[in-house]
Amino acid sequence: EAQLKMLRYQLNPHFLFNTLNAISTLVLEQNTELANRMVTKLSSFLRYSLDNDPMQKITLEQEIKALQLYLDIEKVRFEDRLSLHLDIEESANNALIPSLLLQPLIENAIKYGIAQAEGGGRLVISAKVFAGDLLIEVSDDGPGCELVDGQIPEAKGVGLSNTRERLSTIYGSEHSIRLSHTDPHGLTICIRIPYTPKHGPI
C-alpha cells in the first residue's frame, strides 16, 4: 500500500514541474493572459488529484474526465495544434482502473510526439472489453521513436516506468503493457488489465 501511494503521488510533482516550467515561459514572454489561464486550469486539475484517494480505483469514464482537465492545461499552450479522439466502448466506460493511470502516458505523448511536430497532432484513446480483460490504447501521430522488443532503449522518463510499476504492483502477472509504432508514424501504448466493472457507488 505504501509503495502504491508513493508511485501515485510521484506523478503530481513530476507533472507540476513540467507545467510550472510552461507557465514560467509564458511569464517571461509577458503572455500574462495565457499564463493566468494555465494557472487556473492547473488549480482545477490539482484539486481533482487531491480529492481522489490514491488507493481507490475509479471508472475509466472518470479517468477520461480527469484527462480532459489535464488537456485543458495543455490546450492553453497548443490551442488547435492538439486534438483528442475518444473511441471508448460503453462497457469499458464502467471498468475500474487505478486513478490517473493514463495521464502520464498522455503527457509523454504530448511532450515527445505532439510538441515535436510543427503542425501539432492528434491523440487517440480507445478502450474495449475482450475475453474478460480491459484493453486500452493510447496513441499519437507524432514522429515516433525507436523500439527494441517493444521497449524504448535507455528510456529515462518517469511516466512510463511509473505506469509499469503501478500495474505490476496492483495486477502482478495479470497485466501487460506493450509499445508499438502507430501507422504511418507515432507511438501506441497498449495496456491489458483484468476487467472489473463498477457495481454500485465507489
Side-chain angles (χ1 to χ4, degrees), residues 15 17-18 24 34 71 74 89-90 92 129 140 145 151 158 174 185 189 191 199:
F15 155 75
F17 174 79
N18 290 339
S24 175
L34 274 184
L71 286 168
E74 294 293 8
E89 287 187 356
E90 187 62 35
V129 178
D140 66 73
C145 61
Q151 309 292 331
V158 171
E174 295 186 330
H185 52 78
I189 300 175
I191 294 174
H199 294 296

Side-chain angles (χ1 to χ4, degrees), residues 7-26:
L7 289 169
R8 168 63 173 74
Y9 283 129
Q10 184 185 36
L11 297 177
N12 286 351
H14 177 248
F15 155 75
L16 191 58
F17 174 79
N18 290 339
T19 305
L20 289 176
N21 270 346
I23 293 171
S24 175
T25 299
L26 290 173

